[in-house]
Amino acid sequence: MTPDLPTILTRLQATLPAAAVAHRRNPGPSGQDSLLVAPEHLVAACRFLRDTPDLDFDLLTNVTGVDWPDPAKADAVAVPVEETPPPRGGFLEVVYQLFSTSRRAGPLVLRARTEDRQTRVKIPSVVEVYRSAEFQEREIYDLFGVVFTGHPDLRRILMWDEFEDHPMRKDYVAPDDYEYEPTPHDAVLEKAKPHYPAAP
Amino acid sequence: MISDPAMPYPPSANPSPVLDDDQLLHVSLGPQHPSTHGVFRMNVVLDGETVVSLKPVFGYLHRNHEKIAEGITYLSSMPFTDRLDYICPLTNNWAYARAVETLAGIEVPERAEYIRVITGELTRLINHSAFAGFFMGDMGAWGSALMYAFRERELILDLFEELTGARMMSNFMRFGGCRSDLPEGWAARAKTLIDGFPAFLDELEKLLTGNEILLARTQDIGALPKETLINGGITGPMLRAAGVPYDLRKSRPYGIYDRFKFRVPIGEKGDCYDRFMMRFLEMRESISILQQAFEQLPEGEYINPKAKLRSFKPPVGEAYAAIECPKGELGFHLISDGTFNPFRYRIRPPSFINLTLLEDMCLGLDLADVVLILGSVDIVLGEVDR
């Protein structure tokens, strides 16, 4: 059962500041519309959706990170319905799919966007409302570089701890040798060089 | 120790244990350890035998499947999905095919849906019977129970080999149907196998489920309240064992599951024993679904003739679709920008998310119980690390 998005939108706007939530239309045949939530109101919105008895979205199934270097593409996938978005640069996005196990309703799609892709990449963590986000937010932090404020244990999860970049970013360039790291052996090889014949 | 469902914060947010650090034993369990079902590692802190902290470490099998998928066409990702949960490749194929069909609005012919249900439920039989074998192995009964399960699994894999050309890496589903029709006489042979399957289950259950050691080791171990499990995103037999009747085949019906009469078994306590029994009960229901499917199997197309395989370009949009795979909810979230390659390809892996509450389940128990609880979660590392 697909949730009744306009009603939920009206109720969310009554609870939160009206500008915090906006309806985004899905142009594809799946018809899965979404709600764009301002990051600072995301946790309150989740809490409202979970704790209101006749909504009861108790299961956060999936959390997806998306990198949008081109904001026009993002607005083509999640088309603005009422407001005209101000011009902006690229950003990172986190998409949440909520379900209700008791009412068998869903998916309710929420999206939250960071301010840009470089430094202002913070989104509040929803782990205190939905524990299932714990590993998924760690994964998005690891692969996309979204910093989830308030996450209890924000560490890399799939890449190793010393890894520096975020490999799921669209502009990520893979190194030639993942394993390369300078070792004391390199110094020895350097010293040994003069003793070998020059390459022909 | 059971977390308070009203405060489902991770235990890692709590202050460190009261004991002096030098009294605690730090054990790195895995990644090469027979009980971790692959390359999975846990950093366990023990006070004597009692677990006071447990941090899973992932990524030993990470190949960034999601990134690879962004660089290739939609269809090219299909064989990659086989390698997610390599015990049940056919359900992985199905979940991905369903997500693309939702994204592009492709209809699936009736016969193709039946073939999908048949292969999907056979996969469930494989997974759950192998689970019983591996679970006994975690308990120390290594080998015997597993070989009983593998004997039957091999018969089903023979059917898969005949149908798809490969025992395990099937690459069988296509957008809008399946790659090929059932071979001549396949349905009859599969039906004979299924008719004999309950006898195997009876035998296995007779040997295992009443066993005193199994009861002593698994009862009241690893149970969590169901509110905590839902909040932790746990799905599949793990969640149903705790008494939540949440099965995607009923809760969010997809395909043709509304045509079959079957029950969703649920447990009571959600301990390891309930999870173990849940798999047996689900296999019995799967057999019933299979028998109905063979009875109803219609003639017709095995793939939608209008569905495009080469140069396939779905319209701009996004879609999330999931199926009830043997381990839980396997979902795919796809974002299309109207080109040949997906803009974003996200897998919702049940094994990975079912591990979220592993620490909560293990706190306060013995190290030997950790092995059992991990076994009862039923993970496959190909899917956890992706």
Side-chain angles (χ1 to χ4, degrees):
Chain A
M1 189 179 87
T2 324
D4 178 15
L5 213 57
T7 319
I8 294 174
L9 178 70
T10 323
R11 293 179 63 179
L12 268 176
Q13 280 170 336
T15 330
L16 308 170
V21 199
H23 186 187
R24 291 287 171 129
R25 191 173 54 81
N26 186 342
S30 74
Q32 293 171 358
D33 288 13
S34 52
L35 297 175
L36 179 66
V37 186
E40 60 270 26
H41 298 292
L42 179 66
V43 177
C46 286
R47 208 180 285 279
F48 175 76
L49 292 169
R50 185 191 69 175
D51 294 340
T52 310
D54 63 323
L55 294 176
D56 196 21
F57 285 98
D58 50 0
L59 176 68
L60 170 64
T61 316
N62 179 42
V63 187
T64 308
V66 193
D67 181 15
W68 297 103
D70 176 9
K73 260 189 182 176
D75 285 339
V77 168
V79 186
V81 175
E82 279 153 14
E83 95 279 28
T84 345
R88 60 173 302 176
F91 52 87
L92 302 168
E93 184 177 60
V94 184
V95 187
Y96 304 83
Q97 261 104 10
L98 305 181
F99 285 92
S100 167
T101 56
S102 56
R103 295 192 307 116
R104 301 184 169 187
L108 177 69
V109 188
L110 303 182
R111 24 185 17 116
R113 293 171 172 181
T114 63
E115 287 180 53
D116 63 19
R117 300 173 68 238
Q118 288 82 30
T119 50
R120 289 172 294 167
V121 288
K122 284 186 182 162
I123 283 186
S125 166
V126 298
V127 174
E128 56 180 293
V129 189
Y130 295 113
R131 179 77 191 280
S132 56
E134 188 186 345
F135 287 173
Q136 302 191 67
E137 285 184 345
R138 271 179 71 184
E139 187 186 327
I140 294 169
Y141 162 72
D142 185 359
L143 303 180
F144 287 89
V146 177
V147 176
F148 290 94
T149 49
H151 190 287
D153 187 20
L154 196 64
R155 287 179 291 135
R156 286 192 178 272
I157 189 164
L158 292 174
M159 307 302 281
W160 53 102
D161 290 342
E162 296 79 18
F163 192 78
E164 274 173 2
D165 214 338
H166 302 291
M168 281 298 284
R169 295 265 186 117
K170 290 285 175 187
D171 48 7
Y172 173 75
V173 182
D176 292 338
D177 182 3
Y178 278 101
E179 311 264 312
Y180 176 77
E181 49 189 65
T183 66
H185 188 58
D186 290 343
V188 177
L189 288 180
E190 197 56 42
K191 262 194 202 165
K193 251 185 195 166
H195 299 280
Y196 289 93
Chain B
M1 189 192 286
I2 285 172
S3 8
D4 178 3
M7 292 279 289
Y9 290 97
S12 45
N14 297 341
S16 51
V18 262
L19 279 164
D20 256 349
D21 242 10
D22 50 359
Q23 284 177 287
L24 298 174
L25 180 66
H26 292 250
V27 182
S28 172
L29 193 66
Q32 301 295 346
H33 189 274
S35 74
T36 55
H37 297 249
V39 279
F40 177 68
R41 185 155 76 92
M42 294 172 274
N43 280 329
V44 190
V45 182
L46 295 173
D47 167 20
E49 265 291 304
T50 312
V51 178
V52 290
S53 158
L54 185 150
K55 297 286 172 212
V57 182
F58 306 95
Y60 291 94
L61 216 57
H62 179 56
R63 64 265 186 203
N64 219 341
H65 171 40
E66 295 179 1
K67 182 80 174 178
I68 296 171
E70 284 177 9
I72 55 182
T73 61
Y74 284 86
L75 185 61
S76 313
S77 290
M78 186 61 84
F80 276 99
T81 61
D82 295 338
R83 277 88 179 158
L84 287 173
D85 173 1
Y86 41 77
I87 307 276
C88 358
L90 279 156
T91 44
N92 301 342
N93 288 177
W94 190 0
Y96 178 50
R98 236 183 72 73
V100 177
E101 283 151 12
T102 316
L103 181 70
I106 303 171
E107 298 279 319
V108 183
E110 205 182 11
R111 185 175 171 84
E113 289 281 19
Y114 274 93
I115 297 175
R116 286 179 176 189
V117 167
I118 289 167
T119 52
E121 294 301 326
L122 283 171
T123 305
R124 202 179 308 276
L125 293 181
I126 288 182
N127 182 75
H128 285 1
S129 52
F131 165 85
F134 282 120
F135 191 63
M136 295 308 287
D138 290 337
M139 222 173 297
W142 179 250
S144 308
L146 188 60
M147 287 305 125
Y148 273 75
F150 270 24
R151 185 188 66 199
E152 300 302 312
R153 171 176 179 259
E154 210 57 41
L155 297 177
I156 298 179
L157 288 182
D158 284 347
L159 285 174
F160 283 172
E161 187 174 3
E162 194 183 344
L163 178 63
T164 70
R167 287 166 71 244
M168 290 168 78
M169 300 297 120
S170 55
N171 183 17
F172 182 61
M173 308 284 177
R174 291 290 177 265
F175 314 138
C178 303
R179 198 180 66 204
S180 60
D181 204 353
L182 298 178
E184 191 70 38
W186 192 92
R189 280 194 294 283
K191 193 170 182 321
T192 320
L193 187 94
I194 292 310
D195 290 341
F197 210 83
F200 156 69
L201 284 184
D202 291 342
E203 183 191 23
L204 200 60
E205 280 204 55
K206 205 171 172 186
L207 290 168
L208 301 182
T209 48
N211 184 296
E212 215 171 296
I213 302 172
L214 177 95
L215 294 174
R217 287 293 309 276
T218 55
Q219 286 197 326
D220 296 320
I221 295 292
L224 283 180
K226 53 185 170 186
E227 294 78 15
T228 311
L229 290 174
I230 296 175
N231 195 278
I234 311 293
T235 48
M238 288 268 291
L239 181 62
R240 291 191 288 275
V244 184
Y246 187 68
D247 185 321
L248 262 58
R249 293 173 293 177
K250 292 263 193 199
S251 306
R252 276 183 259 157
Y254 55 91
I256 48 162
Y257 272 112
D258 49 349
R259 298 189 193 177
F260 304 116
K261 255 188 84 181
F262 65 101
R263 284 170 297 185
V264 175
I266 55 170
E268 212 168 277
K269 287 184 191 165
D271 55 8
C272 285
Y273 186 71
D274 276 1
R275 291 179 198 150
F276 179 73
M277 283 305 293
M278 196 54 48
R279 266 80 178 199
F280 278 105
L281 300 179
E282 279 188 15
M283 278 194 273
R284 306 237 177 225
E285 294 300 327
S286 289
I287 290 169
S288 141
I289 295 174
L290 280 164
Q291 280 166 340
Q292 295 171 51
F294 284 124
E295 231 163 70
Q296 300 171 10
L297 184 66
E299 291 300 319
E301 306 275 0
Y302 61 88
I303 188 164
N304 186 342
K306 284 186 203 143
K308 238 175 140 183
L309 291 180
R310 315 222 169 272
S311 330
F312 169 71
K313 255 203 287 195
V316 178
E318 65 173 339
Y320 176 81
I323 69 162
E324 183 73 31
C325 93
K327 294 182 168 64
E329 172 180 346
L330 175 64
F332 281 81
H333 181 208
L334 301 172
I335 297 180
S336 160
D337 59 349
T339 56
F340 293 110
N341 305 345
F343 185 81
R344 179 78 174 99
Y345 168 102
R346 153 83 180 162
I347 306 155
R348 189 252 184 233
S351 303
F352 178 63
I353 295 168
N354 284 357
L355 287 172
T356 307
L357 296 181
L358 183 66
E359 183 176 19
D360 297 42
M361 288 184 230
C362 296
L363 288 182
L365 297 173
D366 289 352
L367 185 61
D369 297 327
V370 172
V371 172
L372 270 191
I373 291 169
L374 182 69
S376 76
V377 179
D378 194 13
I379 57 167
V380 163
L381 265 293
E383 188 176 74
V384 173
D385 289 344
R386 276 158 295 141

